[in-house]
Amino acid sequence: EAQVTQNPRYLITVTGKKLTVTCSQNMNHEYMSWYRQDPGLGLRQIYYSMNVEVTDKGDVPEGYKVSRKEKRNFPLILESPSPNQTSLYFCASSFFQGARAFFGQGTRLTVV
Amino acid sequence: GNSVTQMEGPVTLSEEAFLTINCTYTATGYPSLFWYVQYPGEGLQLLLKATKADDKGSNKGFEATYRKETTSFHLEKGSVQVSDSAVYFCALSDESNYQLIWGAGTKLIIKP
């Protein structure tokens, strides 16, 4: 089954404790991206990757890192989480940028 | 720059009512237009799309027509069901760099 898998689905952490949210897709998509969803703000892109070893900043990259060492995986790293990063995060992939996007089920992160 | 504007929600309707969710856009050239749906607790999934002017996208009883003259892509359904309760996102794919630009989302609540 074609899917994008994110883990964990829910995470509560403390300020400053490094965390990683994993994302994996099984569709051989070249393009992957991370979004955060906040009430009234819709989806905002954090980072995206056009292909392996190619990543770039989206609209709200501050406080986040990503890596794309292999095609299927695109982890999101918060080196020092802060409360303003409390949000719902989505990973998405597509064959190319602008094509139909497939989304993971989301990770609800709370930073206290 | 490019942008997508959706009507603010929540939109509350009774079952079998007619639905319209407005979406207008600002873009140069001829972007592709999308509607995505997010059911409670899930990631977004593509509902329908249109890639050129006057195209009509349709799926699951929903329709939207790409109107270049009014820069609109309004989502319609003739008779909504409780199971249509979700958040609906309008988006465009920029013609030049294919970046997806998202609206803020419209929450739809259908009461039995």
Side-chain angles (χ1 to χ4, degrees), chain A residues 35-56:
Chain A
Y35 294 90
R36 59 178 290 173
Q37 182 180 10
D38 301 290
L41 297 176
L43 288 173
R44 294 182 292 170
Q45 192 179 50
I46 302 170
Y47 267 94
Y48 63 94
S49 169
M50 303 278 268
N51 212 327
V52 176
E53 301 292 2
V54 180
T55 63
D56 210 344

Side-chain angles (χ1 to χ4, degrees), chain B residues 19-78:
Chain B
L19 167 72
T20 300
I21 299 179
N22 290 338
C23 171
T24 58
Y25 67 91
T26 302
T28 54
Y30 297 88
S32 294
L33 301 173
F34 305 85
W35 277 101
Y36 281 80
V37 58
Q38 182 183 27
Y39 297 107
E42 298 184 13
L44 285 74
Q45 55 186 279
L46 181 66
L47 180 60
L48 54 85
K49 70 175 184 180
T51 57
K52 61 182 188 293
D54 300 324
D55 264 3
K56 178 186 286 186
S58 61
N59 185 24
K60 299 182 180 180
F62 290 89
E63 292 183 340
T65 301
Y66 189 144
R67 301 282 187 205
K68 182 73 175 173
E69 64 277 13
T70 55
T71 61
S72 65
F73 193 54
H74 304 323
L75 182 68
E76 296 181 336
K77 186 174 184 181

Side-chain angles (χ1 to χ4, degrees), chain A residues 9 35 37 40-43 45 59 88 90 96-106, chain B residues 32 34 36 38 41-46 49 87 89 93 97-100 102-105:
Chain A
R9 292 289 308 276
Y35 294 90
Q37 182 180 10
L41 297 176
L43 288 173
Q45 192 179 50
D59 298 319
L88 179 58
F90 286 100
F96 53 86
Q97 189 178 20
R100 173 185 177 177
F102 290 78
F103 283 78
Q105 288 195 292
Chain B
S32 294
F34 305 85
Y36 281 80
Q38 182 183 27
E42 298 184 13
L44 285 74
Q45 55 186 279
L46 181 66
K49 70 175 184 180
V87 180
F89 290 89
S93 172
N97 63 16
Y98 302 105
Q99 183 181 6
L100 273 174
W102 296 89

Side-chain angles (χ1 to χ4, degrees), chain A residues 11 13 17-21 76-81 109 111:
Chain A
L11 180 60
T13 190
K17 185 176 181 182
K18 181 179 177 179
L19 66 91
T20 299
V21 184
L76 179 70
I77 303 155
L78 284 72
E79 294 271 7
S80 182
L109 172 66
V111 183

Side-chain angles (χ1 to χ4, degrees), chain A residues 21-87:
Chain A
V21 184
T22 63
C23 173
S24 180
Q25 51 94 3
N26 63 0
M27 295 166 278
N28 203 36
H29 285 168
E30 294 195 345
Y31 185 83
M32 298 185 74
S33 58
W34 276 102
Y35 294 90
R36 59 178 290 173
Q37 182 180 10
D38 301 290
L41 297 176
L43 288 173
R44 294 182 292 170
Q45 192 179 50
I46 302 170
Y47 267 94
Y48 63 94
S49 169
M50 303 278 268
N51 212 327
V52 176
E53 301 292 2
V54 180
T55 63
D56 210 344
K57 297 177 180 179
D59 298 319
V60 288
E62 294 78 18
Y64 305 93
K65 285 175 54 176
V66 293
S67 70
R68 188 91 182 273
K69 291 183 169 39
E70 48 192 343
K71 202 170 191 178
R72 64 184 293 125
N73 296 325
F74 190 47
L76 179 70
I77 303 155
L78 284 72
E79 294 271 7
S80 182
S82 61
N84 65 10
Q85 293 177 299
T86 293
S87 186

